[in-house]
């Protein structure tokens, strides 16, 4: 099973990704994780990638495509994969197509999670994180027993800079600017499965597995 999962931050695709990789026994591949591993292993490409990330810049497409090529040469991808956060622009999508072609592989599905901006903003900007243990709460959906205090260790709950409303709005805009063309690209090539990120995870999981079963 070869799947690309797309969707903005906070749309709820992470949980579904975990269910899919477990169900199909495939690796969950995100370029962010590969970069971290390559850096941990002290590789040159890992250091180069980190220098971009540290400056708050995107890693250039050539480097990203190259590490994806390397990742796909590893044996665990023989039975399939779930890509999350890649490809994030047209150049990467074209390079990825080329890679698949070289291996004689076809994608089974591109799954695009969507939700209205205000839903995503509410979800992310409502997050609070324990400054001691990192446990995650939400001011509406997962309140701590005592406001502002972690249930586990009485640590103070804080809002991460990344979760502030203005930051979320900016991340959403960047995401949509970059990825809308990629979704169009895959729509032209076949079908993109559109998933409403507001549904419950059990509903979403059932819908996706049924569609994947019928497609393949
Ligand atoms: Zn805590």
């Amino acid at each position: 099973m070869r799947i690309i999962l797309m969707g903005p931050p906070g749309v709820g695709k992470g949980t579904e990704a975990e269910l899919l990789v477990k169900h199909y026994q495939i690796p969950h591949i995100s370029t962010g994780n590969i970069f971290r591993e390559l850096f941990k292993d002290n590789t040159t490409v890992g250091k180069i990638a980190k220098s971009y990330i540290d400056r708050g810049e995107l890693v250039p497409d050539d480097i990203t495509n190259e590490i994806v090529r390397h990742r796909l040469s590893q044996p665990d991808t023989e039975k399939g994969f779930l890509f999350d956060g890649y490809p994030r622009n047209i150049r990467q999508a074209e390079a990825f197509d080329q890679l698949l072609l070289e291996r004689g592989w076809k994608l089974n599905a591109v799954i695009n999670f969507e939700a209205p901006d205000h839903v995503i903003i509410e979800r992310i900007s409502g997050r609070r994180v324990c400054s001691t243990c990192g446990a995650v709460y939400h001011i509406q959906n997962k309140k701590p027993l005592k406001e502002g205090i972690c249930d586990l260790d009485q640590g103070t709950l804080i809002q991460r800079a990344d979760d502030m409303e203005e930051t979320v709005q900016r991340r959403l805009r960047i995401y949509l600017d970059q990825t809308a063309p990629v979704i169009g690209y895959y729509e032209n090539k076949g079908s993109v499965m559109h998933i409403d990120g507001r549904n419950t995870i059990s509903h979403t999981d059932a819908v996706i597995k049924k569609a994947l079963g019928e497609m393949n």
Side-chain angles (χ1 to χ4, degrees):
M1 187 61 77
R2 301 183 196 96
I3 302 170
I4 293 178
L5 207 58
M6 302 188 65
V11 77
K13 67 185 158 72
T15 317
E16 181 56 28
E18 292 314 317
L19 293 173
L20 288 172
V21 299
K22 218 170 136 192
H23 183 75
Y24 293 109
Q25 295 286 301
I26 49 178
H28 183 181
I29 306 178
S30 89
T31 48
N33 285 342
I34 316 180
F35 288 142
R36 276 188 287 279
E37 277 163 26
L38 288 171
F39 182 72
K40 223 172 55 203
D41 294 345
N42 224 6
T43 61
T44 310
V45 67
K47 285 179 202 160
I48 295 171
K50 188 165 189 293
S51 72
Y52 285 96
I53 295 166
D54 285 348
R55 289 199 299 269
E57 291 170 27
L58 289 172
V59 178
D61 292 335
D62 292 349
I63 297 176
T64 305
N65 293 334
E66 203 42 49
I67 65 135
V68 168
R69 171 185 292 274
H70 179 258
R71 183 65 186 82
L72 285 183
S73 70
Q74 288 165 10
D76 64 337
T77 59
E78 287 293 331
K79 19 174 211 185
F81 50 71
L82 181 144
F83 266 94
D84 186 353
Y86 177 92
R88 67 168 74 234
N89 61 42
I90 295 283
R91 280 195 63 197
Q92 293 185 358
E94 286 170 350
F96 193 51
D97 267 355
Q98 183 57 36
L99 270 177
L100 294 175
L101 194 71
E102 284 168 22
R103 285 180 170 65
W105 288 346
K106 277 179 104 167
L107 281 177
N108 295 92
V110 176
I111 305 174
N112 183 38
F113 275 70
E114 299 160 308
D117 285 4
H118 72 90
V119 172
I120 290 173
I121 289 165
E122 196 180 287
R123 276 187 190 166
I124 301 184
S125 64
R127 273 186 204 153
R128 296 295 181 272
V129 179
C130 173
S131 51
T132 314
C133 71
V136 180
Y137 297 84
H138 192 279
I139 53 171
Q140 272 138 28
N141 312 328
K142 197 182 174 226
K143 293 182 185 174
L145 296 171
K146 218 165 122 198
E147 196 185 323
I149 305 290
C150 177
D151 294 348
L152 305 173
D153 57 9
Q154 273 68 56
T156 309
L157 302 186
I158 54 161
Q159 185 179 34
R160 286 184 301 214
D162 253 15
D163 294 343
M164 308 239 173
E165 186 167 336
E166 312 82 82
T167 318
V168 179
Q169 261 162 354
R170 192 168 48 84
R171 283 162 69 199
L172 267 178
R173 257 199 321 277
I174 295 172
Y175 173 82
L176 292 174
D177 282 351
Q178 286 189 341
T179 353
V182 180
I183 293 162
Y185 176 87
Y186 285 117
E187 248 157 9
N188 287 336
K189 293 174 74 77
S191 64
V192 174
M193 203 189 294
H194 290 280
I195 295 295
D196 188 335
R198 288 170 295 183
N199 285 326
T200 63
I201 190 67
S202 60
H203 174 81
T204 299
D205 191 49
V207 167
I208 291 178
K209 285 194 184 129
K210 181 164 184 284
L212 289 175
E214 282 164 6
M215 265 180 206
N216 299 292

